[in-house]
Amino acid sequence: MNWMIKAVWILLAFSGSLYAGDILVVVSKDSPVDTITKRELVDLYMGRSHSLPDGSPVMKIDAPVDSPVRAEFYQALIGMKVSEVNAYWARLMFTGRATPPMSVTKPEDVAGLLARNPSALGYLPEDSENEQLKTIFVIKEDQGAP
Amino acid sequence: MNSLKPFSLLKRIRERLDLQIALAILCLATAFLFVGGYLNYLRAQEQERTGVITMVREMVAVVEGNAAIAAYLQDLQLATEISAGLQSSRYISMVSIDIDGGGLVSTGAVQSGRSPDFVLELASPFSAAETVGSIKVYADLDYIEKLAASKGRSVVSGQLALLLLVSVAILWAVRVVVTRPLGSVVRQLKKINLSDEGSINQISTRSQDEIGYLADNINSMLSAIHAAYLSEAEQSRRIAQLERKFRLIFEGSHAGIVMVDGQNRLSLANQAFQSLVAHLDPHLDQQEPRPLSQLFYDPELVEGILSTVRENNASVFRDLKLAGEQEVWVRSLFSLIESQNSAEMGYIEVVFSDISDRALIEKHFEYGATHDQLTGLLNRRGGEARFRRQVEQAQSRAGSFVLCLIDLNDFKPVNDIYGHEAGDVVLKEISLRLKSALRADDVIVRWGGDEFVVSMLAQSSDAVDAVGRNLLSVFEQPVEIRPEVWVRVGGSIGIATSDRVGFSIERMVEAADEAMYIVKKGDKNSYQVFGDSVARSQSQA
């Protein structure tokens, strides 16, 4: 078993700041939404849709700007770096038609916000499951670049 | 005159090399200009059009990302801004952005029903496979056409200017190098007259090229032709001279000469022969040649002679009688003509001389006209002809012509006393004595009743005294007019020399008469030279 532990350590050492592992798209357990497609997720986070598939309003929550999970989320979802996504929103700032997701300052705030707000939508690393939330979509680690 | 103008222009062009070249260049240049200019115009237009389309494509590519985002977000505001931005270009008249499920944004206007010049499908910025809308661009065709046309015009006008420049340069070069030297050579050639006896002007040109070579060759050819021409002219002049002489011999001959062809027909007859047979009315001037034998009393004999001559190739000499009433005999010499010309093979030449009485009578007539019947000396008419001949001889030899006039003294009493027969005897005797006293070449003429004229050629006038004494000696002896009856006549002699009088026969006779008159007035039996002051010699009687 010794060699397996060694291998995990090596993997962790190589991943660096990048988060390695599945990302869970989650909502409050009181939310009417049980599932969501990847496309609907893209349209929500890139500003095309303003509501959930069932028509109910939604509050999109982003991980902190420099967190590894945020980078992994956008890379896996649309194949863009965080800086590119920032530039995209900056271009749309003047039209006022689309609004970017709300960004939290600390990673641990995401779970709290989601639990308290049934219309909120967010994402978390796979190891941060909790009974207040329900997972509606899983972004697999190997889904990296779409 | 107006209708002639195009013809004279055409003629002028045909005669002028430089005009022909100019016309050819002009025609070619015009053809090139029309075809090439049109093609170049089309090409320039097409280039301009393609360039504009490429530019439009690039401009659309610049805004493609933003347009895709606008379509993705169905953001009409953003789409309007983008389409307005594009449409502000001069090359674009209308832009429309079609957002799938979100509406249509367009800026500018075009004719309805026109299809877009350029369509770009807009893909979703996050999923290349998903189309979110399209952008349609309508180019400003009028403006592009205007641009292309002006480009085409500028290209063509540049080429036209270049073509004109090159044409003028070629014309100038051709004129300097070819037509001007050629024209000078031609002008000099026109002035040359080959029949000029003197030397021919050389053609000169400064060109060292083919024209120079041509001029050199023309010069050598011209001098050769000129020399040939002159020698030809000289030769033909000599031949003409020779021919004239031959004709003179042939036509002027007293003998009849004829040429008989291979069929024994008369081919040619001279004047003497024609007058010989004129009484037979032979129509020799007719085209159809007549047989020679028909002109003779015995035609078969003549035919026989002709064939003998041909067979033996030898001459035949024979007296023949002509046909007709009169007894005319001709002495004939037949001989074969040897000629290199095959057309004249078998020709025979016959020479006739009239030996009949008729000829003798004619001769007698001639003799009677020029001679004195009594003495047999020349009469005045015959004498004058002989004087003229002597004067010509004297002039050609640069000698002297001497003329003496002799008038008998005491002749009238002889006639009166002894009768005319006695006078005739005296005249005959004196004539005989003059003949024996003078040289054969000297001319003795019975000038009048008792007058004689003697003329002769002398080396110089120093001989006149000898002549005078010699003539006086004729009268020394008395003349026996009938047996045992003697009479004495004397002579008064006047002598004229051409050295003093000149070569006019009339003047000479006058001068001799004057001199004789001086003697007649003086002591009668003597001689006097015209121009001398005194009678030189006394009669010895």
Side-chain angles (χ1 to χ4, degrees):
Chain A
M1 290 294 276
N2 248 350
W3 65 271
M4 289 182 74
I5 297 161
K6 269 185 189 166
V8 169
W9 276 110
I10 289 166
L11 262 172
L12 280 174
F14 271 96
S15 352
S17 64
L18 209 78
Y19 170 80
D22 292 344
I23 292 172
L24 310 174
V25 177
V26 292
V27 290
S28 156
K29 67 173 177 16
D30 303 328
S31 170
V33 179
D34 294 320
T35 178
I36 192 166
T37 64
K38 187 183 176 186
R39 176 156 176 201
E40 282 162 350
L41 198 62
V42 170
D43 285 352
L44 275 175
Y45 268 87
M46 298 318 289
R48 195 184 198 188
S49 305
H50 307 289
S51 53
L52 288 168
D54 66 343
S56 55
V58 69
M59 189 175 81
K60 300 161 283 184
I61 293 168
D62 242 343
V65 176
D66 48 359
S67 67
V69 71
R70 180 164 170 164
E72 174 61 17
F73 177 74
Y74 283 107
Q75 188 67 48
L77 198 64
I78 55 171
M80 277 179 165
K81 290 185 183 113
V82 173
S83 59
E84 286 171 330
V85 174
N86 289 345
Y88 170 80
W89 283 116
R91 255 194 278 187
L92 294 171
M93 237 13 141
F94 303 102
T95 67
R97 174 105 162 71
T99 43
M102 196 182 85
S103 198
V104 295
T105 45
K106 287 198 294 267
E108 53 271 29
D109 292 346
V110 175
L113 260 173
L114 286 172
R116 284 192 302 275
N117 200 334
S119 64
L121 175 74
Y123 53 88
L124 287 169
E126 66 178 330
D127 54 351
S128 41
E129 262 179 301
N130 124 14
E131 63 276 9
Q132 300 290 314
L133 305 174
K134 65 175 170 189
T135 300
I136 56 170
F137 190 76
V138 179
I139 300 173
K140 297 282 179 195
E141 190 194 346
D142 54 5
Q143 275 181 343
Chain B
M1 281 307 279
N2 273 343
S3 63
L4 278 174
K5 255 189 177 171
F7 284 108
S8 66
L9 185 68
L10 201 68
K11 191 165 172 282
R12 210 173 138 72
I13 286 172
R14 282 211 185 123
E15 283 171 354
R16 291 273 305 274
L17 199 59
D18 54 347
L19 290 181
Q20 280 177 34
I21 292 170
L23 196 69
I25 288 176
L26 206 69
C27 288
L28 279 175
T30 312
F32 272 127
L33 209 66
F34 270 106
V35 176
Y38 182 65
L39 289 178
N40 272 324
Y41 179 79
L42 288 185
R43 209 162 66 90
Q45 234 182 359
E46 188 53 40
Q47 270 178 352
E48 192 67 13
R49 204 178 286 133
T50 321
V52 170
I53 296 291
T54 310
M55 203 151 62
V56 169
R57 201 184 293 269
E58 280 164 9
M59 287 193 300
V60 172
V62 168
V63 302
E64 186 186 354
N66 285 352
I69 289 167
Y72 174 75
L73 295 177
Q74 300 181 340
D75 187 338
L76 294 182
Q77 179 63 37
L78 187 57
T80 306
E81 278 171 21
I82 289 166
S83 86
L86 261 186
Q87 199 265 333
S88 67
S89 161
R90 285 172 303 172
Y91 304 108
I92 297 168
S93 53
M94 187 174 110
V95 177
S96 71
I97 299 175
D98 195 356
I99 298 168
D100 289 350
L104 180 74
V105 166
S106 71
T107 319
V110 287
Q111 271 184 312
S112 62
R114 203 185 124 182
S115 56
D117 297 297
F118 182 56
V119 179
L120 183 70
E121 294 293 330
L122 294 171
S124 159
F126 311 111
S127 158
E130 190 190 350
T131 304
V132 291
S134 64
I135 183 163
K136 296 192 177 92
V137 178
Y138 298 83
D140 188 344
L141 289 180
D142 289 346
Y143 184 70
I144 291 171
E145 283 310 306
K146 230 189 284 174
L147 274 184
S150 103
K151 177 87 179 289
R153 270 198 302 275
S154 80
V155 165
V156 168
S157 59
Q159 283 173 340
L160 173 70
L162 198 67
L163 200 63
L164 277 179
L165 207 68
V166 169
S167 301
V168 169
I170 289 174
L171 271 184
W172 183 79
V174 165
R175 195 168 156 67
V176 167
V177 175
V178 181
T179 55
R180 209 181 286 162
L182 210 60
S184 133
V185 168
V186 168
R187 267 198 305 283
Q188 293 179 62
L189 257 181
K190 275 182 181 165
K191 278 189 202 149
I192 284 175
N193 180 13
L194 271 182
S195 57
D196 244 353
E197 292 280 332
S199 68
I200 280 186
N201 286 338
Q202 292 275 308
I203 289 172
S204 64
T205 176
R206 269 176 305 184
S207 300
Q208 308 271 310
D209 48 20
E210 286 94 332
I211 293 173
Y213 177 77
L214 211 64
D216 285 349
N217 267 273
I218 288 173
N219 278 333
S220 53
M221 259 161 71
L222 273 179
S223 53
I225 289 171
H226 185 233
Y229 180 89
L230 287 185
S231 78
E232 184 86 357
E234 172 63 23
Q235 206 168 12
S236 61
R237 214 184 62 222
R238 250 187 251 152
I239 287 171
Q241 226 167 33
L242 210 61
E243 194 195 310
R244 210 162 47 238
K245 284 178 184 166
F246 284 143
R247 194 193 301 274
L248 211 64
I249 293 170
F250 182 73
E251 290 293 341
S253 171
H254 289 294
I257 303 170
V258 298
M259 205 156 86
V260 179
D261 66 13
Q263 279 82 46
N264 294 345
R265 291 174 307 188
L266 272 173
S267 171
L268 195 66
N270 71 345
Q271 196 58 48
F273 182 78
Q274 286 178 28
S275 55
L276 189 66
V277 296
H279 62 285
L280 300 174
D281 198 20
H283 302 295
L284 292 179
D285 48 354
Q286 279 177 357
Q287 283 289 347
E288 186 62 30
R290 297 276 307 273
L292 176 70
S293 54
Q294 282 190 359
L295 296 168
F296 290 87
Y297 176 76
D298 189 353
E300 283 169 25
L301 177 63
V302 175
E303 293 283 347
I305 292 169
L306 286 171
S307 41
T308 310
V309 167
R310 239 176 239 122
E311 278 164 24
N312 302 345
N313 191 13
S315 296
V316 172
F317 189 73
R318 191 72 166 262
D319 286 348
L320 294 168
K321 190 186 169 198
L322 287 183
E325 311 267 305
Q326 293 178 21
E327 282 270 320
V328 182
W329 285 84
V330 286
R331 184 154 293 172
S332 322
L333 176 64
F334 294 78
S335 33
L336 200 64
I337 294 174
E338 285 174 18
S339 169
Q340 281 142 358
N341 191 342
S342 60
E344 287 156 8
M345 281 292 278
Y347 274 48
I348 290 172
E349 171 210 62
V350 194
V351 181
F352 301 100
S353 54
D354 193 348
I355 52 168
S356 62
D357 291 343
R358 198 176 62 113
L360 290 177
I361 291 164
E362 275 184 6
K363 228 175 200 171
H364 192 71
F365 271 139
E366 221 254 15
Y367 186 84
T370 53
H371 289 75
D372 176 42
Q373 247 178 318
L374 178 69
T375 59
L377 295 177
L378 291 164
N379 62 13
R380 208 163 169 144
R381 185 174 155 225
E384 277 170 350
R386 296 286 296 277
F387 294 159
R388 278 196 290 278
R389 228 177 295 162
Q390 277 193 329
V391 164
E392 280 168 22
Q393 284 173 348
Q395 280 175 323
S396 66
R397 291 180 201 163
S400 297
F401 174 61
V402 179
L403 188 137
C404 315
L405 196 137
I406 307 165
D407 191 82
L408 298 187
N409 298 327
D410 310 320
F411 178 69
K412 202 168 177 302
V414 174
N415 248 356
D416 291 347
I417 296 164
Y418 302 103
H420 284 290
E421 287 86 6
D424 289 351
V425 169
V426 170
L427 290 172
K428 278 186 188 171
E429 177 62 22
I430 296 298
S431 300
L432 284 174
R433 286 183 191 177
L434 280 171
K435 271 187 190 171
S436 56
L438 293 168
R439 296 170 298 185
D441 295 348
D442 298 343
V443 177
I444 310 164
V445 181
R446 188 176 170 207
W447 199 245
D450 59 349
E451 270 185 336
F452 295 88
V453 171
V454 172
S455 76
M456 65 206 68
L457 296 170
Q459 292 290 336
S460 69
S461 42
D462 298 344
V464 290
D465 283 323
V467 171
R469 280 196 296 274
N470 194 17
L471 289 176
L472 280 177
S473 72
V474 167
F475 301 100
E476 280 171 6
Q477 299 296 320
V479 179
E480 189 178 26
I481 52 170
R482 65 178 77 136
E484 301 305 318
V485 181
W486 305 81
V487 294
R488 184 176 287 275
V489 290
S492 301
I493 302 165
I495 303 174
T497 62
S498 64
D499 293 6
R500 288 188 181 163
V501 182
F503 285 106
S504 158
I505 290 160
E506 208 178 327
R507 276 292 301 134
M508 286 287 280
V509 173
E510 278 173 19
D513 198 49
E514 275 177 45
M516 188 275 287
Y517 195 68
I518 291 169
V519 177
K520 207 80 174 173
K521 286 279 171 194
D523 49 9
K524 287 191 172 179
N525 292 323
S526 177
Y527 69 92
Q528 170 71 38
V529 179
F530 177 80
D532 283 1
S533 49
V534 214
R536 290 196 178 187
S537 181
Q538 301 296 315
S539 161
Q540 293 172 357

